[in-house]
Amino acid sequence: MSTLFLRTLREDPADAEVASHKQLVRAGYIRRAAPGIYTWLPLGLRVLGKVEGIIREEMASIGSQEVHFPALLPREPYEASGRWTEYGDAIFTLQDRKGDDYLLAPTHEEMFTLLVKDLYGSYKDLPLSLYQVQTKYRDEARPRAGLLRGREFIMKDAYSFDVDDAGLDASYAMFREAYIRIFDRLGFDYVIVFAHSGAMGGSKSEEFLAKSEIGEDTYVECRACGYAANVEAVHVPVPEKQAYDDVPAAHVEDTPDTPTIAALVDHLNQAFPREDRPWAAADTLKNVIGNVVYPDGTVEPLAIGIPGDREVDGKRLEATLYPGEFVPFGEEDFARYPMLAKGYIGPGALGESSESKIRYVVDPRIVEGTRWVTGADSTGHHVIDLVAGRDFVADGILEAAEVWPGDPCPNGDGVLTTARGMEMGHIFQIGTKFAEALGLKVLDQFGKLVTVTMGSYGVGVTRAVAAIAENTLDDIGLCWPRNVAPYDVHVVATGKDEAVFTTADRLVAELADAGVEVLYDDRAKVSPGVKFKDAELIGVPTILTVGRGLVEGTVEVRDRRTGERTEVPVTEVVALLASSIRG
């Protein structure tokens, strides 16, 4: 450490929000270069290399072959797939001196597809899987949490190529098992959940989420059946249709000063009390109006009806409408639709066949026969006993309402619980989307051209470093699992006695000869207190202290995670550590 390029910090960096970000900077693993962009220092690179090594070993175990694409890519392949426009402001684009368009790759599906198209043309060449470990770039509007959401990051992206869906299923299963082995070895707690495919399209889709209270993804689990899904992918169980023969005709009532659900419910209970129970927000139908803005500039108004006790979940809505972005109506928008009474909008003014022509989609719970209180399209008025299927019909179904703990499981029995996690890996069946767009076809066994079907399998490598740190750190520093730790043993020489440093030098050399990776704190003019603080902060799994016990022929071995300390004879410590670390 007397020569290691390292400077530890005693204070948290001002821009750090989460514990992993604070400690990775303080312990000298990374440094901020710009918002969402980080420089990797020697300690950080060692951890990054360990993570990449585990991934490469598991990719090799299933026969996936490594390639490497450039990060600077031409516009044309992304234009052909439609994603040059779809990505919108989320990608970094540039022009060369001749005016030709390029981008810094956010992902490489197009390039993998074209590479296979260039070299292969027969079913005999398949199945095939290729992968790379490469830097990606996305123009995040709000980079946050250090390595967890950056603008430049490293990913392992792999792709399988098969001649039919049966082959794709086999490839998907093979990669799924490899991913389980990868995340088991990386040493953090994770869950596998159903997911949306997002920008990639495709069908079957699963995410590997590191469990974390600071995670930006919310997922649900059912303890009764094992169902787990990102909230974006949760399908609401559709209730049975309800009989409405005895429901009174819909009637409009005066409801002054009730533009909010809370005010409406209070007024209903005062002016129109029910005999069976009080009115509740769940009895109301909330209609949310906005514009769906697409990357090509197209704008389409959309109205969403949901039970009044729930809010629209922005991430669920974003995933459903992708690549469009939902922007709530402003005053100018309402001015263009005078038939919409702000705060009192009902289904009567909505729908493709209505005067407004605004497409109207509703939550799956709004089934035929359900009875609602909702806006009467007139300020200060609501309609009561409005029945779905009798009094209004929506243009479609859209799942965008919040998912709550206690909601019924889509699989039947059981209820959902919610938790938070960080996306570490995503696997999904792309199908023929990119192969169709870019013309990847092969001759099948009958000599007929068929479109290749693909799978996509990604791991966030830099994210994994942060997730491992976040899952394993404690109040005093990082606490790396041995599989990914920068070193196996941190040797700390304390005091000023020359015998201490002579013995420490010898132990370091003997440990290295035994195949143990050692970080050696040989700094002569640094106090023991500072050395111990640095050792705790850096987080190597085993700390070997050579100091006062040497006069009695012992050294101290400390487990960084548990804090357990053991006095070991100096003549036995190398064999003990080599055996426990290297077997």
Side-chain angles (χ1 to χ4, degrees):
M1 287 182 67
S2 61
T3 57
L4 179 63
F5 186 59
L6 172 69
R7 182 75 71 237
T8 57
L9 306 177
R10 293 291 166 248
E11 302 295 329
D12 292 336
D15 64 325
E17 302 170 299
V18 299
S20 59
H21 184 191
K22 295 172 184 176
Q23 293 194 9
L24 285 168
V25 173
R26 285 186 53 209
Y29 285 76
I30 59 172
R31 293 290 289 177
R32 180 181 182 271
I37 303 172
Y38 290 87
T39 300
W40 288 82
L41 304 180
L43 285 178
L45 276 177
R46 288 184 70 90
V47 175
L48 187 66
K50 297 283 184 71
V51 172
E52 291 180 357
I54 288 171
I55 292 170
R56 285 188 167 99
E57 286 174 11
E58 295 301 341
M59 289 298 96
S61 75
I62 60 172
S64 192
Q65 300 175 66
E66 185 171 6
V67 296
H68 191 81
F69 289 97
L72 180 64
L73 300 173
R75 172 175 179 161
E76 289 75 17
Y78 291 82
E79 191 78 63
S81 68
R83 293 203 299 174
W84 180 270
T85 302
E86 279 184 17
Y87 269 119
D89 294 335
I91 56 173
F92 291 99
T93 60
L94 65 154
Q95 290 185 332
D96 67 8
R97 66 184 67 196
K98 297 182 293 183
D100 293 331
D101 288 320
Y102 290 83
L103 78 162
L104 294 177
T107 184
H108 283 79
E109 280 81 2
E110 288 84 352
M111 304 310 295
F112 274 92
T113 305
L114 289 173
L115 179 64
V116 176
K117 176 185 176 182
D118 185 37
L119 296 176
Y120 278 1
S122 169
Y123 76 97
K124 295 178 182 179
D125 299 321
L126 306 179
L128 169 72
S129 73
L130 302 173
Y131 80 95
Q132 67 169 346
V133 179
Q134 168 64 302
T135 304
K136 313 286 190 185
Y137 300 87
R138 293 180 190 170
D139 191 1
E140 291 283 355
R142 292 172 295 277
R144 57 176 294 275
L147 300 177
L148 290 173
R149 193 168 186 87
R151 307 173 92 185
E152 178 189 83
F153 52 93
I154 298 172
M155 277 190 67
K156 187 285 299 179
D157 45 334
Y159 301 89
S160 62
F161 301 85
D162 288 277
V163 75
D164 56 28
D165 289 343
L168 174 56
D169 286 341
S171 294
Y172 185 92
M174 179 176 66
F175 269 94
R176 190 179 192 275
E177 290 302 313
Y179 270 46
I180 290 172
R181 294 193 297 272
I182 287 171
F183 291 112
D184 283 348
R185 292 178 64 185
L186 290 181
F188 56 80
D189 197 11
Y190 68 94
V191 61
I192 306 172
V193 301
F194 293 117
H196 258 287
S197 297
M200 312 306 179
S203 53
K204 188 171 185 180
S205 175
E206 292 176 288
E207 289 174 342
F208 290 72
L209 302 181
K211 296 180 179 181
S212 173
E213 293 181 359
I214 67 157
E216 58 189 19
D217 288 291
T218 301
Y219 67 93
V220 300
E221 290 183 292
C222 174
R223 297 193 176 116
C225 71
Y227 171 84
N230 192 307
V231 290
E232 298 170 9
V234 173
H235 292 296
V236 174
V238 179
E240 294 291 331
K241 296 178 181 179
Q242 298 181 18
Y244 52 86
D245 295 341
D246 60 346
V247 178
H251 47 105
V252 176
E253 302 291 351
D254 289 337
T255 53
D257 301 318
T258 57
T260 67
I261 297 296
L264 173 60
V265 170
D266 287 343
H267 181 81
L268 290 172
N269 281 315
Q270 292 176 15
F272 309 99
R274 294 175 59 142
E275 294 182 359
D276 55 343
R277 59 172 175 79
W279 291 98
D283 298 315
T284 68
L285 174 60
K286 178 192 302 183
N287 296 299
V288 180
I289 316 293
N291 287 313
V292 183
V293 182
Y294 293 93
D296 64 0
T298 302
V299 178
E300 296 177 355
L302 181 71
I304 305 166
I306 62 173
D309 59 337
R310 300 188 186 239
E311 300 294 335
V312 169
D313 184 313
K315 296 196 75 172
R316 276 169 64 78
L317 183 61
E318 178 185 1
T320 302
L321 297 180
Y322 185 89
E325 178 185 0
F326 187 81
V327 180
F329 262 23
E331 293 301 328
E332 292 183 2
D333 298 298
F334 279 109
R336 286 195 294 271
Y337 293 92
M339 72 289 297
L340 302 180
K342 186 178 179 182
Y344 299 87
I345 299 169
L350 303 171
E352 293 173 340
S353 61
S354 71
E355 181 185 359
S356 72
K357 308 296 184 188
I358 296 175
R359 178 170 169 78
Y360 183 45
V361 293
V362 297
D363 184 86
R365 283 165 281 236
I366 302 171
V367 296
E368 182 178 337
T370 50
R371 176 179 179 180
W372 304 95
V373 179
T374 191
D377 304 308
S378 172
T379 300
H381 298 89
H382 282 83
V383 58
I384 300 176
D385 292 325
L386 191 77
V387 176
R390 183 189 73 178
D391 303 317
F392 72 96
V393 177
D395 297 315
I397 302 297
L398 186 140
E399 303 205 41
E402 297 171 311
V403 178
W404 288 348
D407 281 348
C409 174
N411 285 349
D413 294 336
V415 296
L416 300 178
T417 60
T418 61
R420 300 194 68 80
M422 300 178 283
E423 182 185 340
M424 293 294 106
H426 193 177
I427 60 176
F428 49 93
Q429 297 182 345
I430 300 175
T432 60
K433 174 180 177 177
F434 292 98
E436 288 280 8
L438 298 165
L440 173 54
K441 300 177 185 291
V442 296
L443 291 172
D444 68 11
Q445 57 187 336
F446 304 109
K448 178 183 176 182
L449 274 177
V450 295
T451 303
V452 171
T453 185
M454 296 169 55
S456 175
Y457 317 92
V459 174
V461 181
T462 45
R463 267 195 158 203
V465 173
I468 296 166
E470 191 73 37
N471 259 239
T472 57
L473 57 78
D474 59 21
D475 292 339
I476 58 175
L478 299 164
C479 239
W480 297 107
R482 196 171 299 281
N483 271 356
V484 299
Y487 296 92
D488 295 313
V489 177
H490 189 149
V491 175
V492 180
T494 64
K496 300 179 180 179
D497 191 335
E498 185 175 341
V500 167
F501 287 89
T502 301
T503 301
D505 289 347
R506 177 173 56 79
L507 292 177
V508 168
E510 291 177 1
L511 285 167
D513 288 343
V516 176
E517 297 178 335
V518 183
L519 176 62
Y520 178 25
D521 193 343
D522 62 338
R523 296 174 293 176
K525 297 183 180 180
V526 176
S527 72
V530 170
K531 289 188 175 186
F532 290 139
K533 287 284 188 184
D534 282 347
E536 291 164 346
L537 182 62
I538 290 168
V540 171
T542 302
I543 301 171
L544 171 59
T545 302
V546 183
R548 290 179 298 183
L550 194 59
V551 296
E552 298 175 359
T554 64
V555 290
E556 180 189 88
V557 175
R558 177 183 171 191
D559 185 291
R560 171 64 185 86
R561 175 166 306 287
T562 67
E564 182 181 353
R565 302 168 188 261
T566 307
E567 294 293 327
V568 180
V570 69
T571 55
E572 299 175 11
V573 70
V574 171
L576 174 69
L577 292 178
S579 175
S580 64
I581 293 168
R582 292 286 173 252

